[in-house]
Structures are given as structure tokens and as C-alpha cells.
Amino acid sequence: MERNWLDVVSLILIIIGAVNWGLIGFFNLDVISAIFGNMSMITRIIFAVVGIAGIYSLVLFWKLKTEE
């Protein structure tokens, strides 16, 4: 399967989200909230976009699984 730009952007966003959750779990440090404010509009948008990237990755994973 050929990858497009949306696959790459989705993967980058998922990595950012995973690193942020790891920092929350290990050090109680939410980098996104620290940079953009605690539950400010931009923080909520970033969290929503990362969530959408996660849903997109489920679809991508299903596509890859069915191609085998």
C-alpha cells in the first residue's frame, strides 16, 4: 500500500500524543497544556486533532490488515 501525506501526518500526531501521555504518566507533566494553557481552546483543538489521527490510524490499520 502506498502511503500518502495524511498517513504521515497522522503518524506524527499519534507520536506526539503518545509522548505527551507518557510524560503525564511518568512525571505528571502535560506538555501541551503547559505550552498552550490548561484546557484553552487551542489545547482542546490539539487534543481533538490527535484523537482524530488515532481514529484515522484505526482505519489505516484495518486497510493494511485486509491487504495481507
Side-chain angles (χ1 to χ4, degrees), residues 4-40:
N4 60 23
W5 66 270
L6 191 57
D7 298 343
V8 175
V9 170
S10 177
L11 181 60
I12 291 169
L13 289 171
I14 292 167
I15 291 168
I16 290 170
V19 169
N20 192 52
W21 274 108
L23 290 171
I24 291 169
F26 288 118
F27 304 111
N28 197 24
L29 173 64
D30 186 350
V31 175
I32 302 298
S33 292
I35 293 171
F36 298 106
N38 190 15
M39 281 301 137
S40 68

Side-chain angles (χ1 to χ4, degrees), residues 1-3 5 16 18 22 24 26 30-31 33 36 38 40 42 47 50-51 54 57-58 60-61 63 65-68:
M1 178 177 153
E2 188 173 323
R3 288 173 184 55
W5 66 270
I16 290 170
I24 291 169
F26 288 118
D30 186 350
V31 175
S33 292
F36 298 106
N38 190 15
S40 68
I42 188 74
F47 287 151
V50 170
S57 71
L58 288 173
L60 180 63
F61 179 73
K63 283 184 190 177
K65 188 96 171 137
T66 58
E67 280 187 2
E68 293 178 1

